[in-house]
Amino acid sequence: MRKNKIETDATVQKLLSTARKHFAEKGFANTALEEIVTETNLTRGALYHHFKNKKGLFLAIFELVQKEVGERVEQEALKSEDPWEQLLIGCKAFLSAAVEEQNLKILLIDGPAVLGWEIFRLMDEQNSMRHLREQLQDMKNQGYLKPFLSVDAMTHCLSGAMNEAALWIADNPDDKNSLEDTISTITNLLEGLKSSEKKSNKP
């Protein structure tokens, strides 16, 4: 039984790794399952057994990318102890990860189109948005944010803005300042959320 599980896990990982490369480079529409099974030296039957169809395979990869980006954001944010710096570092980490070639098409271009907005938003809320919401809620509880502000509203507004900003950054690869300009803009926008009583741990 253990050997079978190890072999199954290895097959799944091989399919995911190969398919992710194809989806990232070619996009969902131009990715052929035949190329994936040929490259992995597996059969269509093996692919269908684990993922049912092309959309099922894409969903598994989308979930993987979402999880990776969410964990990366959390790890980067924890490099600072200051709540405001954590928030800004997390935003920058998300933008940096989202525009990487291995993530962009899957995460922000094909994700909504292939899966539909309902599934896309659900997956987003379980990963990157969850970390963002937790950060904002902690900041509000500690008095860093204006008490009347809605954490849910802030989470959706900021998340939507960053998704759109990531697409803009990706569309302007020759603009070396696009990422820093975006972070600067987000920083200025967030200034309006600060509580007048407690703004930062910094002196």
Side-chain angles (χ1 to χ4, degrees):
M1 291 291 291
R2 187 171 178 228
K3 182 180 179 182
N4 288 340
K5 185 179 185 306
I6 292 175
E7 291 177 348
T8 297
D9 290 345
T11 297
V12 170
Q13 289 306 314
K14 186 185 293 187
L15 286 167
L16 287 174
S17 177
T18 303
R20 178 175 181 173
K21 181 180 67 175
H22 282 260
F23 284 134
E25 293 176 356
K26 304 176 182 179
F28 180 84
N30 295 320
T31 293
L33 294 183
E34 191 61 40
E35 293 179 356
I36 294 172
V37 296
T38 298
E39 189 172 329
T40 55
N41 198 28
L42 296 168
T43 64
R44 274 182 172 268
L47 189 151
Y48 291 142
H49 173 71
H50 293 294
F51 301 105
K52 294 185 179 180
N53 53 35
K54 185 178 177 180
K55 185 175 179 179
L57 177 60
F58 181 83
L59 174 59
I61 293 169
F62 181 81
E63 290 176 324
L64 177 64
V65 173
Q66 280 275 11
K67 183 178 180 182
E68 284 183 2
V69 172
E71 290 175 348
R72 180 166 160 182
V73 168
E74 186 174 30
Q75 290 171 1
E76 288 296 313
L78 290 176
K79 290 181 179 180
S80 173
E81 295 183 357
D82 179 80
W84 281 105
E85 281 191 354
Q86 288 178 344
L87 180 58
L88 293 172
I89 291 172
C91 289
K92 186 172 184 177
F94 171 81
L95 291 168
S96 297
V99 299
E100 290 177 356
E101 186 177 354
Q102 63 176 342
N103 299 327
L104 181 64
K105 277 191 177 72
I106 295 169
L107 192 65
L108 296 177
I109 298 176
D110 283 340
V114 175
L115 302 176
W117 276 105
E118 185 175 350
I119 294 178
F120 173 80
R121 290 184 66 193
L122 176 63
M123 297 305 304
D124 199 22
E125 287 180 5
Q126 291 175 350
N127 293 282
S128 296
M129 282 182 67
R130 176 174 63 84
H131 295 301
L132 177 59
R133 179 181 286 105
E134 289 173 353
Q135 177 69 19
L136 291 172
Q137 186 63 63
D138 286 344
M139 291 177 69
K140 184 175 181 180
N141 292 343
Q142 295 175 50
Y144 286 95
L145 300 175
K146 295 176 179 178
F148 59 83
L149 292 172
S150 165
V151 169
D152 281 341
M154 284 189 290
T155 300
H156 282 85
C157 287
L158 187 54
S159 177
M162 287 196 294
N163 285 342
E164 181 61 31
L167 290 172
W168 175 71
I169 293 170
D171 285 339
N172 292 274
D174 296 329
D175 186 350
K176 297 180 180 180
N177 297 319
S178 58
L179 178 58
E180 293 304 324
D181 286 345
T182 299
I183 293 299
S184 177
T185 299
I186 289 176
T187 301
N188 287 323
L189 289 173
L190 291 176
E191 286 291 325
L193 306 180
K194 284 186 176 182
S195 167
S196 58
E197 298 179 359
K198 191 174 185 181
K199 293 195 173 185
S200 173
N201 283 338
K202 288 185 172 183

